[in-house]
């Protein structure tokens, strides 16, 4: 508690992690890139940078959903499903009803998932983990039904999504045109908007927020709807990047999106963290994956290493922040 | 101590206990002979609950000893205390809610037939042994808990505020049964605030003040006054006289009018008026319904009966936001319930400014900084560690909880024991602030567990006992002994 404890190296580093959480994360990212360059000389290039960014962006966008919900002490495990549904509906409905209506239906479906989550969590007080997992299962079931009975024609991936997902301008991925404004908006909102502040307030002490006049259910309902909206938009971007309509398109991103937020310093218990760290966390995960792939470790070993590294980084981070 | 019996069944002497910087018990003692009911009394903060925890083996004393039938039992744990022959029954029944009555008995190795006997003796003959504890009302649980303790046939029975919120017919049965235990040769320690019950069944009373046993007296008619004097000690002489001109109670519509408010089992019938520019003190022993009163007024709990009027308009609060919209803002007793410990001073103070949907958009940072800055200045908050409220001292944390409502603009401030556990300088700042707020036209309801504060900060005080207002006292008459007598329900005056 006291500020006059003799500062050890660990506690000083810990204080740094608390006060400027981005610095050690960026340091870790640079370290990983350097390690990659040493292990695979010549791999670093503009193309590699561009490719890494391209892969990291959908992950970072889904991780925004985790960051925002985790700030309140929640989580959203339906983001992969919401993204997949949005992508699948867009690709299969576009040939039938045209691109703008298809996208409208896709985004509306994502919003329905968010509203159901929000209703369950805000009004019925179901735990977010259970609620979003349940919604994800139900929504996946609906998608299977849809696929069996509705689909007739082929798929059409709108041109502008292909441009956004795979195109490059001056060597950089076009998806930055979506991501940079998005990231600025999220970081601005968490610091400078009333809604953002309330996310921290609810995560830090829900009872205190309530006593201060916050109707917590309103915040939860808005939050989970917003989370699914972000997931839906990410699904469209991911469709343009992967270029196939699959029933499990974005599902593999669910857990990495949680990992990116956690590595980025957002507490799963709420009240601490922010999107800046999450973006670096998503980049760290992407570089790590790229490194393990380049080292030609077989799939099994790669996954084991990946899991171990996530655990180690998170444990270190928690250890450091708790000491200060 | 007069006539310390050598044949005491329970003999506690020289018991001391320190928690960090606080010396909760300095030198407490208690002797109970066979066939006696001894009352254990003390005002708020006298060390009574610490002493009870040591007697029952929950806490280990720093020094002193507790002997039961001559055997040292200080090192014991709660199970040990029972083995030595002491069984406690607390205000909150210690029964497992998801098990049936019978399973709870089995868990404690309690013989069932004696239990049945005692349950019917205590007035609940048709209780279903298979019923889940959680399905039973609180009054029945107390009876079950007491019957369980009686079935064990303990040498010493420790009853802690047993009759609080029990219906009158059950109280009579319980008192009779307790007295019968003593008459059959057992010993009872009776922790209570209620003089009428103590007069009815106790032989002696042991009085604690500031962690010391200050008296051990036989119960006889008129002993109440002496016990109150003992609980007050030198405080009467030292009463601070900081007299303000007496306020004339205005005849206009009160800011807050409470009529017949009732909720739960503790708050039964409270009425009072609070005017603009007035600081109204609330005096009550622990658990007399004051917690529930503040919760209802802050919109944190619903009233089951009664009305709340703000500026003459009846109001019903479904959520704290409704109370805040009506200008009623609460500073809760426990700072941990009010603060975002991991967030900054500024974010803590600004929460109410952002609570409503129309304020969810862009924060006007300049305006917010001005409001927060002004509140910080008004309360003189030390902002050296403002990055995280958890790093602030207790006094500064308390100031932050008040600053929140200063920044929002105070109309009616509900302060629940705002000076508990903070230093004297900060306390004085808070009294000054409360007076200033009232002078600027705010209305303040001020519950305090320190009786001396009524004179320092309030214009009038309502005294609540057993969920009812039993007295209204002007600050000039509110010396500690008057307040203490009233808080123990010893005044003749009818409520206003």
């Amino acid at each position: 508690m006291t500020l006059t404890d003799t500062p050890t190296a660990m506690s000083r580093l810990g204080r740094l992690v608390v006060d400027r959480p981005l610095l050690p994360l960026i340091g870790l990212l640079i370290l990983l890139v350097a390690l990659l360059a040493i292990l695979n000389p010549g791999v670093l290039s503009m193309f590699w940078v561009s490719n890494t960014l391209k892969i990291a962006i959908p992950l970072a966008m889904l991780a925004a959903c985790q960051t925002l919900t985790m700030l309140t002490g929640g989580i959203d495990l339906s983001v992969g499903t919401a993204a997949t549904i949005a992508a699948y509906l867009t690709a299969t409905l576009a040939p039938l009803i045209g691109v703008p209506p298809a996208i409208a239906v896709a985004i509306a479906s994502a919003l329905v998932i968010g509203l159901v989550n929000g209703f369950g969590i805000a009004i019925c007080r179901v735990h977010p983990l259970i609620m979003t997992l349940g919604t994800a299962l139900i929504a996946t079931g609906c998608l299977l039904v849809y696929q069996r009975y509705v689909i007739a024609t082929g798929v059409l991936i709108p041109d502008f999504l292909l441009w956004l997902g795979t195109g490059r301008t001056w060597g950089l991925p076009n998806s930055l045109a979506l991501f940079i404004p998005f990231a600025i908006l999220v970081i601005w909102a968490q610091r400078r908007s009333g809604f953002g502040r309330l996310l921290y307030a609810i995560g830090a002490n829900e009872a205190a927020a309530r006593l201060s006049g916050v109707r917590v259910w309103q915040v939860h309902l808005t939050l989970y709807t917003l989370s699914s909206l972000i997931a839906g938009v990410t699904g469209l971007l991911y469709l343009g990047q992967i270029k196939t309509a699959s029933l499990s398109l974005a599902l593999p991103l669910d857990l990495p999106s949680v990992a990116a937020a956690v590595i980025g310093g957002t507490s799963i218990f709420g009240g601490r963290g922010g999107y800046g760290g999450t973006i670096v966390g998503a980049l760290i995960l992407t570089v790590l994956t790229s490194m393990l792939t380049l080292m030609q470790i077989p799939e099994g070993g790669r996954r084991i290493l990946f899991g171990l590294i996530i655990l180690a980084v998170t444990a270190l981070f928690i250890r450091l922040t708790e000491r200060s | 101590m007069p006539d310390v019996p050598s044949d005491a069944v329970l003999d506690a002497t020289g018991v001391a206990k320190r928690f960090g910087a606080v010396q909760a018990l300095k030198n407490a003692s208690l002797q109970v002979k066979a066939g006696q009911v001894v009352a254990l009394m003390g005002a708020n903060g006298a060390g009574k609950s610490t002493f009870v925890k040591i007697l029952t083996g929950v806490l280990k004393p720093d020094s002193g000893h507790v002997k039961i039938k001559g055997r040292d039992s200080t090192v014991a744990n709660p199970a040990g205390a029972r083995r030595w022959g002491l069984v406690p029954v607390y205000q909150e029944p210690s029964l497992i809610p998801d098990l049936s009555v019978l399973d709870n008995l089995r868990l404690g190795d309690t013989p069932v037939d004696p239990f049945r006997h005692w349950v019917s003796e205590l007035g609940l003959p048709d209780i279903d042994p298979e019923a889940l504890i959680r399905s039973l009302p609180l009054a029945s649980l107390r009876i079950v808990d007491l019957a369980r303790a009686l079935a064990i046939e303990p040498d010493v029975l420790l009853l802690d505020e047993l009759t609080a919120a029990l219906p009158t017919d059950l109280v009579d049965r319980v008192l009779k049964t307790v007295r019968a235990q003593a008459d059959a040769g057992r010993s009872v320690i009776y922790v209570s605030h209620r003089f009428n019950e103590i007069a009815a069944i106790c032989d002696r009373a042991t009085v604690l003040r500031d962690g010391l046993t200050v008296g051990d007296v036989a119960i006889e008619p008129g002993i109440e006054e002496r016990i109150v004097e003992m609980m007050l000690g030198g405080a009467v002489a030292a009463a601070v006289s900081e007299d303000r001109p007496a306020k004339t109670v205005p005849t206009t519509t009160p800011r807050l009018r409470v009529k017949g408010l009732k909720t739960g089992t503790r708050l039964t019938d409270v009425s009072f008026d609070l005017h603009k520019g007035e600081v109204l003190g609330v005096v009550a022993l622990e658990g007399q319904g004051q917690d529930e009163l503040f919760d209802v007024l802050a919109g944190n709990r619903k009233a089951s009966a009664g009305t709340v009027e703000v500026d003459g308009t009846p109001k019903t609060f479904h959520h704290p936001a409704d109370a805040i919209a009506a200008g009623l803002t609460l500073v809760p007793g426990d700072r941990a319930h009010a603060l975002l410990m991991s967030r900054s001073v500024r974010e803590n103070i600004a929460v109410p400014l952002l609570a409503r949907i129309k304020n969810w958009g862009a924060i006007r940072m300049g305006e917010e900084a001005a409001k927060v800055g002004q509140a910080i200045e008004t309360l003189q908050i030390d902002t050296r560690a403002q990055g995280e409220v958890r790093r602030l001292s207790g006094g500064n944390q308390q100031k932050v909880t008040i600053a929140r409502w200063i920044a929002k603009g105070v109309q009616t401030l509900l302060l629940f024991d705002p000076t508990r556990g903070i230093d004297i300088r900060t306390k004085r700042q808070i009294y000054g602030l409360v007076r200033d707020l009232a002078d600027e036209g705010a209305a303040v309801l001020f519950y305090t567990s320190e009786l001396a504060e009524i004179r320092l900060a309030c214009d009038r005080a309502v005294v609540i006992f057993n969920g009812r207002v039993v007295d209204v006292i002007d600050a000039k008459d509110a010396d500690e002994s008057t307040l203490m007598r009233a808080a123990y329900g010893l005044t003749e005056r009818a409520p206003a």
Side-chain angles (χ1 to χ4, degrees):
Chain A
M1 275 302 275
T2 56
L3 298 167
T4 50
D5 284 339
T6 27
T8 61
M10 273 296 263
S11 79
R12 231 179 297 163
L13 188 59
R15 178 59 50 76
L16 185 75
V17 174
V18 172
D19 292 342
R20 302 220 169 279
L22 273 180
L23 287 182
L25 283 170
I26 291 173
L28 180 65
L29 179 62
I30 292 171
L31 195 76
L32 280 173
V33 174
L35 195 65
L36 182 75
I38 294 166
L39 291 171
N40 299 275
V43 75
L44 289 192
S45 63
M46 192 60 197
F47 179 78
W48 179 84
V49 170
S50 164
N51 211 36
T52 304
L53 287 176
K54 191 185 93 178
I55 296 170
I57 283 171
L59 176 61
M61 287 180 68
L62 290 185
C65 305
Q66 307 304 351
T67 308
L68 296 176
T69 51
M70 273 161 62
L71 286 181
T72 67
I75 197 165
D76 189 346
L77 293 181
S78 66
V79 290
T81 308
T84 305
I85 285 180
Y88 197 82
L89 288 180
T90 302
T92 54
L93 285 178
L96 294 173
I97 60 174
V99 171
I103 288 184
V105 171
I107 295 297
S109 309
L111 285 176
V112 168
I113 294 178
L115 281 169
V116 172
N117 280 337
F119 178 79
I121 293 160
I123 317 281
C124 309
R125 311 292 293 165
V126 181
H127 192 281
L129 187 84
I130 306 298
M131 191 65 214
T132 56
L133 207 54
T135 312
L137 287 172
I138 295 168
T140 307
C142 293
L143 188 62
L144 289 173
V145 172
Y146 165 83
Q147 182 236 7
R148 270 190 89 118
Y149 291 103
V150 184
I151 193 168
T153 50
V155 300
L156 171 73
I157 298 171
D159 287 339
F160 82 96
L161 289 182
L162 289 172
W163 178 86
L164 200 61
T166 50
R168 282 170 211 278
T169 306
W170 304 312
L172 288 170
N174 290 338
S175 47
L176 280 175
L178 173 67
F179 182 70
I180 290 176
F182 170 79
I184 290 173
L185 185 69
V186 172
I187 291 174
W188 173 84
Q190 84 189 11
R191 291 191 188 155
R192 297 290 181 96
S193 78
F195 181 72
R197 284 269 196 84
L198 293 185
L199 299 183
Y200 285 97
I202 290 171
N205 190 342
E206 187 175 322
R210 194 179 120 86
L211 280 181
S212 301
V214 181
R215 293 182 196 270
V216 176
W217 68 268
Q218 294 174 339
V219 178
H220 276 145
L221 188 62
T222 312
L223 171 64
Y224 284 89
T225 310
L226 178 70
S227 174
S228 285
L229 175 66
I230 295 173
V233 172
T234 311
L236 299 186
L237 171 69
Y238 206 49
L239 176 68
Q241 188 173 314
I242 303 292
K243 293 187 280 194
T244 38
S246 138
L247 288 169
S248 61
L249 184 76
L251 296 187
L253 292 183
D254 261 338
L255 290 180
S257 72
V258 176
V262 172
I263 289 177
T266 300
S267 161
I268 54 167
F269 303 111
R272 275 193 219 212
Y275 192 48
T278 302
I279 296 173
V280 184
L283 284 169
I284 288 175
L285 281 181
T286 311
V287 170
L288 205 58
T289 314
S290 146
M291 192 160 88
L292 295 175
T293 312
L294 283 168
M295 285 160 68
Q296 294 181 323
I297 298 170
E299 176 71 14
R302 212 159 71 201
R303 290 198 180 191
I304 292 170
L305 267 176
F306 191 70
L308 284 175
I309 291 169
I310 289 174
L311 280 180
V313 171
T314 315
L316 183 70
F317 194 89
I318 289 170
R319 175 67 64 84
L320 285 174
T321 49
E322 283 189 349
R323 286 220 175 187
S324 60
Chain B
M1 238 56 41
D3 79 48
V4 176
S6 56
D7 57 337
V9 176
L10 180 134
D11 179 13
T13 38
V15 175
K17 180 78 187 174
R18 170 185 284 277
F19 298 104
V22 182
Q23 184 81 46
L25 280 182
K26 291 171 192 152
N27 183 3
S29 54
L30 172 70
Q31 280 81 28
V32 189
K33 279 197 270 193
Q36 275 192 340
V37 184
V38 176
L40 179 61
M41 302 195 72
N44 295 344
K48 211 170 45 187
S49 43
T50 308
F51 197 30
V52 167
K53 281 181 187 156
I54 288 173
L55 293 174
T56 54
V58 175
L59 287 174
K60 212 184 143 183
D62 297 334
S63 59
H65 65 82
V66 180
K67 281 183 180 164
I68 299 173
K69 292 201 290 187
R71 281 190 301 183
D72 193 6
S73 71
T74 39
V75 292
N77 47 33
R82 175 176 157 179
R83 212 163 31 247
W84 303 133
L86 183 143
V87 174
V89 180
Y90 297 108
Q91 199 177 347
E92 297 301 326
S94 46
L95 297 160
I96 296 173
D98 286 315
L99 292 181
S100 69
V101 174
L102 215 52
D103 287 339
N104 266 283
L105 295 181
R106 287 198 193 107
L107 209 61
D109 276 334
T110 309
V112 176
D113 289 337
F115 171 80
R116 282 184 209 273
H117 163 76
W118 286 117
V119 169
S120 56
E121 191 84 346
L122 289 165
L124 287 177
D126 26 275
I127 204 159
D128 175 12
E130 297 297 338
L132 283 187
I133 291 296
R134 68 162 69 254
S135 68
L136 298 174
L138 182 64
S140 309
L141 294 186
R142 292 252 181 78
I143 299 301
V144 168
D145 212 15
L146 178 60
R148 181 173 72 156
L150 291 168
I152 297 169
E153 304 192 353
D155 296 315
V156 186
L157 193 60
L158 190 151
L159 307 174
D160 188 3
E161 289 292 345
L162 184 73
T163 56
L166 271 191
T168 332
D169 54 327
L170 285 180
V171 171
D172 290 343
R173 291 218 178 217
V174 165
L175 294 179
K176 266 191 204 118
T177 310
V178 170
R179 188 61 239 177
Q181 282 286 302
D183 294 340
R186 301 185 194 284
S187 311
V188 181
I189 301 169
Y190 195 76
V191 183
S192 178
H193 287 314
R194 293 154 200 261
F195 277 114
N196 56 347
E197 294 174 9
I198 288 166
I201 63 164
C202 295
D203 300 294
R204 312 189 66 80
T206 292
V207 182
L208 284 182
R209 185 184 72 237
D210 296 335
L212 293 164
T213 294
V214 291
D216 175 15
V217 292
I219 300 295
E220 55 202 42
I223 195 70
E224 293 93 338
E225 294 296 323
R226 247 189 91 198
I227 293 179
V228 168
E229 293 302 324
M230 284 182 197
M231 287 193 282
L232 286 165
V236 185
V240 192
S241 57
E242 195 175 298
D243 286 329
R244 283 182 307 278
K247 275 227 168 94
T248 44
V249 176
T251 48
T252 52
T253 318
R255 165 62 58 72
L256 177 66
R257 167 166 281 173
V258 173
K259 265 194 281 189
L261 212 56
K262 171 177 166 56
T263 192
T265 50
R266 287 193 185 155
L267 185 69
T268 45
D269 178 13
V270 163
S271 309
F272 61 82
D273 286 354
L274 170 60
H275 290 270
K276 212 168 165 261
E278 186 185 32
V279 183
L280 179 63
V282 175
V283 173
L285 303 169
E286 267 170 57
Q288 303 300 315
Q290 65 271 40
D291 304 68
E292 290 80 358
L293 171 66
F294 275 70
D295 271 349
V296 169
L297 293 179
N300 205 22
R301 182 171 179 163
K302 285 194 188 104
S304 54
T307 55
V308 175
E309 283 176 27
V310 179
D311 293 325
T313 320
K315 300 272 181 187
T316 311
F317 305 141
H318 300 285
H319 188 280
D322 297 332
I324 293 166
L328 270 61
T329 49
L330 171 72
V331 174
D334 188 349
R335 291 190 286 277
H337 289 162
L339 291 171
L340 319 171
M341 287 294 180
S342 59
R343 307 307 302 173
S344 68
V345 169
R346 176 172 175 162
E347 280 180 52
N348 267 278
I349 294 176
V351 182
L353 304 173
L354 310 170
R356 305 183 65 173
I357 292 182
K358 67 178 161 88
N359 300 320
W360 282 8
I363 299 170
R364 293 194 200 93
M365 297 302 269
E367 201 178 298
E368 183 189 278
K371 279 184 180 171
V372 170
Q374 206 185 353
I376 288 177
E377 201 171 316
T378 308
L379 282 149
Q380 296 165 25
I381 298 172
D382 180 349
T383 51
R384 274 174 303 177
Q386 61 176 310
E388 269 193 310
V389 164
R390 76 167 83 246
R391 297 191 208 169
L392 299 182
S393 68
N396 270 306
Q397 288 182 352
Q398 186 65 58
K399 286 181 181 177
V400 172
T401 64
I402 301 173
R404 182 180 281 166
W405 300 122
I406 306 284
K408 168 92 177 162
V410 175
Q411 292 177 42
T412 309
L413 192 60
L414 312 168
L415 295 170
F416 194 92
D417 219 0
T419 60
R420 180 162 56 189
I422 63 180
D423 62 281
I424 183 72
R425 206 175 73 93
T426 310
K427 281 183 180 179
R428 289 192 182 280
Q429 286 174 342
I430 288 176
Y431 308 146
L433 176 84
V434 165
R435 292 311 325 171
D436 289 348
L437 287 173
D439 291 344
E440 288 160 20
V444 183
L445 190 66
F446 187 100
Y447 167 72
T448 174
S449 55
E450 275 185 49
L451 298 176
E453 290 187 342
I454 295 297
R455 271 204 159 170
L456 293 171
C458 302
D459 299 306
R460 291 186 300 151
V462 293
V463 182
I464 299 178
F465 181 69
N466 232 343
R468 287 168 214 282
V469 174
V470 292
D471 208 345
V472 182
I473 301 173
D474 275 337
K476 62 176 165 43
D477 307 321
D479 57 86
E480 284 183 62
S481 108
T482 307
L483 291 172
M484 181 82 90
R485 279 188 188 87
Y488 274 91
L490 289 179
T491 36
E492 308 285 302
R493 275 191 279 179

